[in-house]
Structures are given as C-alpha cells and as structure tokens.
Amino acid sequence: MEKICQHDGRDQRKFYVAILDLDGFKQVNDLFGHNSGDLLLKALAKRMKRLFGKDNTIARLGGDEFGLILFSPLDKPVIESMLAQALRKITDPVEVLGSLVTVSATIGLSTFPEDADTPGQLMRLADLAMYAAKAAGRNTFAFYDEVLEARQQAIAEGVRLAEQALKESALVLWYQPLVALHGPVLGVEALLRLDRRDGTLLSPETFFSALDHPLLAGKIGRFVLDSAIHQGLLWLEQGIRLRIGINISARHLLDSSFMQDMHAVLERYPDFPRELIELEVTESAPMLDFPSAIMTLQAINALGIHIALDDFGTGNASLTYLQRLPAQTIKIDQSFVRDILVDDKDLAIVTGVTSTAQALGMEIVAEGVETLEHARKLERLGVNLLQGYAIAKPMPAAAIPDWVRCYKPVLLDN
Ligand code: C2E
Ligand code: MG
Ligand code: MG
C-alpha cells in the first residue's frame, strides 16, 4: 500500500481501504473447535476473493480480520451495493466437517486520498469505521467520515463525565418496575443516572462508553451492585419484597475480578435473598469470550443468583448458543416490542423468541411496553412479564414504596 500511496502527481488513483471483521467467528471456534474455525476461514477467504473480484486485493490480517484494497468500483453508490451484496453472500452457510456454520461480517472503510494519504492512517481510519459499524449492529459496513471523528470525541467526553462522577459520588440508581400481567409487582430494574447537581440527571446514553471502559467498568459495576442490593435490602426491611435487576457490562462480567466483586457484595448483605438478585447481561456479551462467560455465568447461578439475557434479538444468538447459556430469563429488546402492532417482521421476531424461550423453559420479559395495546398484544403472544412506560417510567428509589402499594394490575379492565 505504501507504494500506491506514494504514487503522487496528477494521476493519483483513488482507492478504498477496508477492514473486514467476522462476527460470531469466536463462537464458531468455541462451539465447533479450532479445526472447524480454520476451515471456515479458508472457505470464506475463497468466497471473498470471488465476491470482491480480481481487480482488488485481499489479505488476512490475523485472527478473523481481513484487509482489502478496493480499486474498483470507485463510484460510492456502486461500491455500497457491492458491499451490501457481499455481506449477504458472506452469511450463506458454509459446510465444515459436516456442520452448517453461519457467520456475518462487519466492514469499515477509508478513502485514499480524501481521508488520509499514508497506509497507517488509512488503516486506522478504516478500523475506526469498522468499530462504528460494529456498534451500529454488525453485519454492516461504514465509511470513515468526520461524523465518526465527532463520535470518537463524544466517547471520550462520556468517559470523562463518568470518571468525574465516580470521584464526586454523583452516580445514582433509578428503578423501573417489572410486573406480571394481571399480577403483582415482581421487581425493579436498577438504571444508572448521573446527577449533575443542578437538578438534572444524565441518562447512560451520554456516558455509554464508560460502562465498558477497561478502567471504569469495574468501578461502576461495583457501585451499581452495592447500591442496588443495599436498596433491595432496605425495601425488604420495609416489607416490600422486590427482585432487583442489575445491569452488568460485558467488560466487568468477563473481568477476572468479577466473581470476587460478587462475593464481596454478598458478604456485605448476607440477609438479602440471593434469588431476588437478577444480573442482566446483554445477549452479545458472552459471545466476546464464550468459555469464560459460561464459567462465570455458571458460578453466578451456583450462588443462587438469576441471569437474564438483556436486549435480546439485537445480537445474532443461535438456538445452540442459547441452549448452552445458563440463563433463566430473556428480555426482548424494546426495538422489537415497540413496533409489534405495526410491523409484521417485529411481530414474527417476538413470536419466535417467545416460543424459543418457552421451549427452553426460560422466563420471558418484554421491555419498552409503551401502551396497553402493546401489553394486550404481548399477552396474546404468551409474554406475561412486562416492563415499560405503560406500567411505569424509571423513578428514584424513594418513590418505589408508594408506587408498589398503589399499583393495580395493568390489564384488570380486560
Ligand atoms: P436496558 O438495560 O435495556 O434498560 C432499559 C432501558 O429502556 C432504560 O433506559 C429504560 O429507561 C428504557 N425504557 C424502559 N421502558 C421504556 C419504554 O416504554 N419506552 C422507551 N422508549 N424506553 C424505555 P436507560 O435507563 O436510559 O438505560 C439504557 C441502557 O443503559 C440500559 O438498557 C443498559 O444497557 C444501560 N444501563 C443502565 N444502567 C446501567 C448500569 O447500572 N450498568 C450498566 N452496565 N449498564 C446500564
Ligand atoms: Mg437491562
Ligand atoms: Mg434491555
């Protein structure tokens, strides 16, 4: 690439640098073994050579990452449609050692000479674009642009905000009720807020980057575990028995200190019933390191603590994957719940997830239930545990006891 970049002068040729990362490859390695992983890589490399044509260069960068230099097509709409088609083709199942295996890919691209004119810089920007595409949900592509640079700055700002909040003890938990249809209040989910001390609170959206930051995830996680369980105990002492849902970042869950943190908090609150603790782990977190996630989740279960798979439907979990995860609850992501009344695809996804959960004997929760109409539809689909604005918005801990005492089941009028 060095050579083509240095090729200065008037006929400087435009090209794209792309980094392609396979999604779910680690899971294949973990489930089917390294042999299958290697065969899959070979088969996909062949497929990609065909897809990207002979005018372009493709090389394996290591692991499940490939680098591409794309000289043609150069026209943006044309290359976009080629990339979209390539992504679709990559997800066609591959047969390895008698099993059909499916992975997807995420691609980040930078443009020479518009974005940068050195190989190192082009790779860095393509990598940045790749991470943005991953954050946008994988199985997609993104070109580097200034918006991305701005996003990087927002990430840095989020980390700064959370770091300061930790120092100034400005993190607080709000709680959102979880109810059974026709039945009682089952529990609450602890949701993090940053108190700006000027009467306003910031939602996690503004400091999302900090939740998975290597230096902050553990600190934030320990604060959340401690204050949520402490609060649960205070309610219990007032005669209000609530299950407490606690969000755990992937970074903290997969950190070697996680179980130590868990034991430490249980020792501080020995009187809080463990079956009232439910750790919410995003569906995609265990995929990052399946063997160690499984071990940690099993150890959590062995303590009598429940596990919920959060944001379910947003990753690309397979049935095999689900079967192997020691989880008791599935929380269907609000993005699917929101449109079940109008979008047949979302309805199909919720129906599918519900029957999967039922088949596996797992509890199913719908989050983001915004209207009673949603609640009724969910009831017909067999989803009986609900969380969302139709029931209650998140509220400060002090408001929970009165809310619980006054609560009337949402669908009593039916
Ligand atoms: P989540 O765990 O999926 O939490 C549910 C989010 O949906 C919450 O947003 C909640 O306020 C919002 N929500 C609930 N019902 C409705 C509804 O009917 N409509 C709409 N539009 N939204 C609804 P929030 O509090 O902003 O939290 C966002 C995400 O931040 C959480 O998603 C979770 O992934 C993360 N998060 C929150 N607290 C913590 C925490 O203590 N630790 C970690 N690691 N992550 C946290
Ligand atoms: Mg959650
Ligand atoms: Mg969720």
Side-chain angles (χ1 to χ4, degrees):
M1 206 193 312
E2 195 88 42
K3 252 191 211 146
I4 18 179
C5 286
Q6 277 165 0
H7 193 285
D8 63 343
R10 282 136 295 151
D11 66 337
Q12 210 175 27
R13 269 174 82 193
K14 174 176 172 156
F15 62 88
Y16 298 101
V17 170
I19 293 181
L20 180 152
D21 189 90
L22 297 176
D23 316 314
F25 178 71
K26 203 168 163 15
Q27 203 189 333
V28 172
N29 252 343
D30 294 341
L31 284 173
F32 298 99
H34 287 262
N35 247 352
S36 296
D38 288 349
L39 291 172
L40 176 67
L41 279 179
K42 277 189 196 143
L44 286 176
K46 234 190 223 163
R47 188 180 287 178
M48 283 192 262
K49 266 193 185 152
R50 254 197 338 267
L51 289 171
F52 292 106
K54 58 177 172 12
D55 296 336
N56 301 315
T57 307
I58 179 161
R60 183 166 166 212
L61 298 176
D64 57 354
E65 245 183 30
F66 292 84
L68 294 101
I69 305 176
L70 302 172
F71 297 100
S72 101
L74 286 178
D75 188 39
K76 197 117 177 241
V78 183
I79 192 168
E80 282 175 346
S81 96
M82 176 180 96
L83 290 167
Q85 198 191 355
L87 286 178
R88 269 199 308 277
K89 289 266 162 60
I90 287 172
T91 59
D92 282 349
V94 179
E95 197 188 324
V96 271
L97 302 176
S99 304
L100 279 181
V101 179
T102 311
V103 288
S104 59
T106 300
I107 306 176
L109 300 102
S110 59
T111 313
F112 174 89
E114 278 95 324
D115 296 337
D117 56 9
T118 64
Q121 204 42 6
L122 284 163
M123 290 289 281
R124 188 185 76 81
L125 300 182
D127 205 41
L128 214 60
M130 200 269 291
Y131 276 99
K134 287 235 171 197
R138 294 156 191 260
N139 193 14
T140 185
F141 60 87
F143 286 86
Y144 168 81
D145 63 18
E146 271 124 39
V147 181
L148 266 182
E149 198 77 51
R151 210 173 299 160
Q152 281 301 105
Q153 276 165 15
I155 289 174
E157 174 63 9
V159 169
R160 195 194 60 75
L161 272 172
E163 229 169 0
Q164 195 181 343
L166 274 166
K167 269 191 214 130
E168 297 170 357
S169 308
L171 292 178
V172 289
L173 291 179
W174 276 35
Y175 294 88
Q176 185 180 34
L178 163 72
V179 301
L181 263 172
H182 310 290
V185 181
L186 274 189
V188 289
E189 176 176 0
L191 293 163
L192 199 54
R193 301 288 180 264
L194 195 154
D195 187 348
R196 305 193 79 181
R197 304 273 159 77
D198 61 357
T200 62
L201 293 175
L202 292 179
S203 77
E205 200 187 358
T206 45
F207 54 93
F208 239 7
S209 47
L211 296 175
D212 257 313
H213 189 275
L215 298 176
L216 300 179
K219 287 183 192 163
I220 296 175
R222 285 186 284 278
F223 161 79
V224 173
L225 274 170
D226 188 278
S227 34
I229 295 176
H230 182 214
Q231 185 58 61
L233 185 60
L234 293 177
W235 283 326
L236 199 60
E237 287 165 359
Q238 297 168 46
I240 304 167
R241 186 182 165 90
L242 294 172
R243 175 163 112 185
I244 314 283
I246 304 173
N247 292 287
I248 304 293
S249 72
R251 173 80 62 172
H252 192 200
L253 179 83
L254 299 172
D255 193 283
S256 55
S257 73
F258 182 77
M259 285 314 292
Q260 242 165 290
D261 292 344
M262 209 56 236
H263 285 290
V265 73
L266 293 177
E267 270 165 38
R268 281 197 295 282
Y269 305 107
D271 296 334
F272 191 67
R274 292 175 181 184
E275 69 273 16
L276 289 184
I277 305 174
E278 182 162 77
L279 301 188
E280 297 193 8
V281 173
T282 57
E283 173 205 19
S284 50
M287 288 191 202
L288 300 171
D289 183 350
F290 201 66
S292 73
I294 289 272
M295 260 169 38
T296 306
L297 296 180
Q298 278 167 347
I300 295 167
N301 268 182
L303 290 171
I305 293 170
H306 286 195
I307 291 156
L309 293 179
D310 204 356
D311 302 346
F312 199 85
T314 55
N316 44 9
S318 65
L319 193 60
T320 334
Y321 171 80
L322 254 187
Q323 258 173 333
R324 296 193 49 190
L325 278 182
Q328 288 67 49
T329 306
I330 284 182
K331 296 190 84 172
I332 313 180
D333 192 62
Q334 53 178 279
S335 58
F336 303 108
V337 175
R338 190 180 308 131
D339 292 336
I340 47 168
L341 301 176
V342 290
D343 186 331
D344 285 346
K345 275 195 197 136
D346 285 349
L347 181 62
I349 288 172
V350 173
T351 311
V353 172
T354 307
S355 55
T356 306
Q358 281 163 351
L360 294 174
M362 292 166 89
E363 185 183 89
I364 183 137
V365 175
E367 47 181 22
V369 182
E370 293 196 346
T371 67
L372 287 183
E373 235 184 313
H374 284 86
R376 286 193 191 99
K377 182 88 183 179
L378 287 159
E379 180 180 30
R380 286 198 290 279
L381 296 175
V383 183
N384 297 313
L385 304 179
L386 311 179
Q387 190 183 337
Y389 295 172
I391 297 118
K393 290 195 167 178
M395 58 188 98
I400 288 285
D402 276 347
W403 188 89
V404 171
R405 282 186 206 110
C406 299
Y407 174 71
K408 300 258 182 332
V410 263
L411 290 186
L412 264 191
D413 54 340
N414 255 6

